Amino acid sequence: MKSALITGITGQDGAYLAQLLLNKGYEVYGVIARRSTDTLWRLNYLGIKEQVNLIEGDMSDLSSLIRAVQISNASEVYNLAAQSFVGTSWEQPILTANVTGVGVVNLLEAIRLTDPTIRYYQASTSEMFGLVQEPIQSETTPFYPRSPYGVAKLYGHWITVNYRESFNMHTSSGILFNHESPLRGIEFVTRKVTDAAARIKLGVQDKLHLGNIDAKRDWGFAGDYVEAMWLMLQQDQGDDYVVATGKTTTVRDMCEIAFKHVGLNYIDHIVIDPQFYRPAEVDLLLGNPTKAMKQLNWEPKTNLEQLITMMVDADMKRVKGEVQILAEVQ
Ligand code: NDP
Ligand code: GDP
């Protein structure tokens, strides 16, 4: 049986990827960082908590990563762990550099020292394009990150390329555009909006405070995107791929979809609040997924309307108390 190791298994993508790999018959191991509260709610929600093997570790602790690679005996390692929230990266830039940037080379070294034939996936991001240098971004578009998060991810991206070129390792970098789901962290704008639409509809919240609602993002469904990660590691060679839908939408129009789904007009409920503006903004992201579609035979299956209504429906159920997702959000 094939084994895979996932860092960030308790995050949105980690949970969906673990589910995908279990369905494909893998033995799944995950690195779990020590926290004072339970972080297993996503694995619980998908009903797979008992099926994965958890190994304590942290991206900033090389010895723990070596141990995780060895214990798991993995032939594929997926590095999804990160301080992943752009807003927080201005508040904790050094932690972001250490975990999201240097953490990548820690894991690559753990693999190289243990078994350099292990295949490696790096969770790169469209945030590396930042102040976009081309109206539609592909694998050849120059990078221009706009946040400490984007800068840290750019290091992770290039060190992944460098280990491929230096040591002939099978390393791949997925340049994923924003992807969301009912398991998305509540601080990200889609989930903040779908949660608020549900709570306002059910009378437990009044207003929704947002920042720059003119920003445009290319949003897809996390469940579709983890399939692309797996496909990259099934290729003969490691490579870099943009994973996106090829459509971009404003935060404003995304709000309209969410509120309309529960019979509300978003204009009546949104308050523009400068506290959510960013020191430097990424105004527009729009990806060209042609390479992934051609070489990986991958395609996004869920459009924005389906994604946002799925998230609102899940949040309605949670706010009504019919299902437990993210217990700490009240
Ligand atoms: P999440 O924020 O949901 O998950 C991040 C994961 O990293 C969590 O499991 C978290 O653990 C773990 N983690 C954080 N710090 C450490 C650490 N020091 N040591 C070990 N583990 C740690 O992110 P997503 O699932 O949304 O994203 C997955 C990856 O893809 C991330 O690297 C993200 O930056 C990247 N990405 C995401 C995109 C998106 O739109 N979702 C777009 C492009 C890239 P804990 O639960 O304990 O906090
Ligand atoms: P990001 O693309 O990784 O930064 O994902 P986010 O979901 O955090 O933000 C997407 C866009 O929404 C950014 O351009 C934000 O500036 C914008 N935005 C507007 N209001 C908010 C808000 O209240 N919270 C967040 N997270 N983003 C907001």
Side-chain angles (χ1 to χ4, degrees):
M1 187 191 277
K2 257 186 166 179
S3 285
L5 176 67
I6 304 173
T7 70
I9 195 165
T10 57
Q12 169 188 261
D13 292 6
Y16 281 112
L17 180 65
Q19 185 182 49
L20 178 93
L21 296 179
L22 287 168
N23 287 340
K24 291 188 184 295
Y26 282 71
E27 183 78 21
V28 175
Y29 290 80
V31 173
I32 180 160
R34 202 268 157 189
R35 305 281 188 244
S36 66
T37 49
D38 179 38
T39 53
L40 298 174
W41 62 272
R42 292 184 173 99
L43 296 172
N44 254 330
Y45 179 78
L46 296 180
I48 57 172
K49 190 178 97 178
E50 307 305 332
Q51 296 168 54
V52 297
N53 308 284
L54 299 173
I55 305 169
E56 263 196 52
D58 193 285
M59 294 309 292
S60 59
D61 183 338
L62 172 63
S63 63
S64 71
L65 298 178
I66 294 174
R67 218 167 56 86
V69 172
Q70 289 177 347
I71 292 171
S72 64
N73 199 23
S75 56
E76 297 174 8
V77 172
Y78 296 84
N79 182 29
L80 309 184
Q83 189 304 95
S84 71
F85 186 48
V86 170
T88 293
S89 77
W90 278 284
E91 310 301 328
Q92 299 186 45
I94 298 166
L95 176 131
T96 304
N98 285 336
V99 173
T100 306
V102 177
V104 181
V105 77
N106 282 336
L107 186 52
L108 284 165
E109 277 297 285
I111 292 170
R112 192 164 76 93
L113 292 167
T114 308
D115 174 4
T117 68
I118 293 170
R119 296 183 175 197
Y120 176 81
Y121 173 83
Q122 171 59 21
S124 288
T125 168
S126 54
E127 286 291 320
M128 300 188 307
F129 296 121
L131 186 65
V132 295
Q133 303 293 297
E134 289 175 345
I136 303 177
Q137 300 88 52
S138 72
E139 294 79 6
T140 55
T141 302
F143 298 118
Y144 194 136
R146 289 274 277 176
S147 63
Y149 168 77
V151 173
K153 279 286 183 184
L154 197 51
Y155 174 80
H157 173 74
W158 280 118
I159 200 71
T160 299
V161 173
N162 182 257
Y163 269 51
R164 186 193 310 148
E165 294 176 354
S166 303
F167 305 118
N168 202 23
M169 285 167 60
H170 193 297
T171 66
S172 288
S173 175
I175 306 174
L176 270 55
F177 282 61
N178 298 48
H179 46 280
E180 323 291 315
S181 73
L183 300 184
R184 184 63 144 150
I186 197 79
E187 65 275 33
F188 293 90
V189 75
T190 52
R191 184 77 204 295
K192 184 173 170 181
V193 168
T194 62
D195 172 67
R199 290 159 69 87
I200 291 170
K201 177 70 183 174
L202 296 169
V204 292
Q205 184 173 325
D206 187 21
K207 295 290 181 197
L208 167 62
H209 289 244
L210 292 175
N212 174 19
I213 61 172
D214 294 317
K216 290 177 143 185
R217 288 292 181 276
D218 179 332
W219 280 293
F221 173 48
D224 294 344
Y225 284 29
V226 296
E227 181 92 35
M229 299 176 186
W230 176 78
L231 284 167
M232 284 178 215
L233 297 209
Q234 311 317 307
Q235 307 304 303
D236 291 340
Q237 303 288 331
D239 205 342
D240 309 322
Y241 300 88
V242 160
V243 177
T245 68
K247 294 201 173 67
T248 194
T249 309
T250 58
V251 172
R252 182 193 298 277
D253 289 348
M254 181 271 293
C255 289
E256 187 177 356
I257 297 171
F259 279 81
K260 204 169 156 193
H261 186 56
V262 289
L264 299 174
N265 185 348
Y266 78 100
I267 292 170
D268 299 335
H269 303 284
I270 285 175
V271 177
I272 300 302
D273 185 340
Q275 82 162 305
F276 295 108
Y277 288 151
R278 284 160 178 191
E281 177 62 294
V282 173
D283 292 319
L284 164 110
L285 291 172
L286 172 57
N288 175 357
T290 305
K291 180 176 173 184
M293 290 172 91
K294 282 199 176 139
Q295 290 188 26
L296 304 178
N297 200 19
W298 174 85
E299 59 174 7
K301 299 190 181 84
T302 315
N303 69 30
L304 185 63
E305 180 116 21
Q306 292 166 327
L307 170 65
I308 296 299
T309 56
M310 175 207 312
M311 291 171 68
V312 173
D313 288 343
D315 278 320
M316 286 291 283
K317 281 195 180 146
R318 181 182 52 80
V319 178
K320 283 182 190 163
E322 292 169 11
V323 68
Q324 281 256 311
I325 327 175
L326 189 48
E328 60 267 35
V329 178
Q330 290 302 332

